[in-house]
């Protein structure tokens, strides 16, 4: 297949011990209080926007890979 370019995935580790993973992340825009980005929701098959408060986040892991 053809190369569709770089895809970014994000894993967010919350202070309460939970982890959330997001695929095909775009429009990553952190500000002073929040982290905002869009991602592709596999279950709904549509692009969604996520907003997280930095106060609840312990760490973030980003991976970039070729699709």
């Amino acid at each position: 297949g053809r190369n569709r370019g770089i895809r970014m995935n994000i894993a967010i580790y919350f202070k309460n011990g939970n982890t959330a993973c997001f695929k095909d992340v775009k429009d990553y825009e952190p500000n002073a209080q929040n982290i905002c980005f869009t991602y592709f929701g596999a279950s709904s098959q549509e692009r969604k926007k996520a907003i997280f408060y930095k106060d609840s986040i312990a760490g973030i892991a980003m991976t970039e890979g070729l699709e």
Side-chain angles (χ1 to χ4, degrees), residues 4-53:
R4 296 180 64 185
I6 299 289
R7 292 294 179 100
M8 184 166 67
N9 298 329
I10 291 181
I12 298 180
Y13 304 94
F14 295 98
K15 292 178 181 176
N16 64 8
N18 291 338
T19 304
C21 298
F22 302 92
K23 294 184 177 181
D24 192 10
V25 172
K26 298 177 181 175
D27 309 314
Y28 182 78
E29 297 178 355
N31 60 32
Q33 292 86 25
N34 305 320
I35 293 170
C36 304
F37 55 86
T38 64
Y39 67 97
F40 185 75
S43 58
S44 61
Q45 294 294 304
E46 62 186 5
R47 183 154 289 278
K48 298 182 175 183
K49 183 167 187 175
I51 302 174
F52 294 101
Y53 296 106

